[in-house]
Amino acid sequence: KPFEIYRKIFSQYGLGEKTGIDLPLEASGFKGESTSLSHLLDFAIGQYDNYTPIQIASYINTLASNGNRYKLHLLKEVREKTSDEKIGNLKEKINPNLTK
């Protein structure tokens, strides 16, 4: 039960679950299988489960945003192709969205 409580709290910060970033084949990290109380202290300080770099980025972003967790994106906007090297008209803009 203590491991479930910690994982629920950590998941609220984006740790241990997929972030939904606009990349294929996102991993959810590694969750340890043992529920031995000897591993609980390691788990409490973040040294039992393993998190992906994008999950760590989501965690840092959540802390920096005063607890607001935003869906991560690599794409800012989509523009039309032009024949010259000028920037084309804006087709789509990706806005920040809060996750639940």
Side-chain angles (χ1 to χ4, degrees):
K1 181 94 177 170
F3 284 86
E4 293 173 23
I5 293 170
Y6 273 108
R7 284 194 176 113
K8 182 178 179 184
I9 293 169
F10 291 167
S11 72
Q12 292 174 346
Y13 289 94
L15 298 172
E17 59 182 37
K18 293 183 179 184
T19 63
I21 193 166
D22 47 1
L23 284 174
L25 305 173
E26 180 184 7
S28 60
F30 173 79
K31 292 183 181 180
E33 296 178 4
S34 172
T35 56
S36 168
L37 292 179
S38 63
H39 290 127
L40 188 58
L41 183 59
D42 293 333
F43 187 62
I45 62 172
Q47 294 185 352
Y48 185 64
D49 285 356
N50 293 322
Y51 308 115
T52 64
I54 202 70
Q55 289 173 346
I56 299 297
S58 177
Y59 170 71
I60 292 169
N61 186 47
T62 301
L63 293 178
S65 300
N66 295 318
N68 295 315
R69 190 166 152 217
Y70 290 93
K71 183 176 179 185
L72 300 178
H73 293 281
L74 295 178
L75 184 64
K76 180 180 176 182
E77 58 192 23
V78 178
R79 296 200 169 257
E80 292 179 354
K81 183 179 177 180
T82 60
S83 58
D84 52 8
E85 297 203 16
K86 294 181 183 177
I87 296 176
N89 294 328
L90 184 65
K91 286 178 75 175
E92 180 183 356
K93 183 174 182 169
I94 308 299
N95 293 314
N97 295 321
L98 286 172
T99 62
K100 294 180 180 181

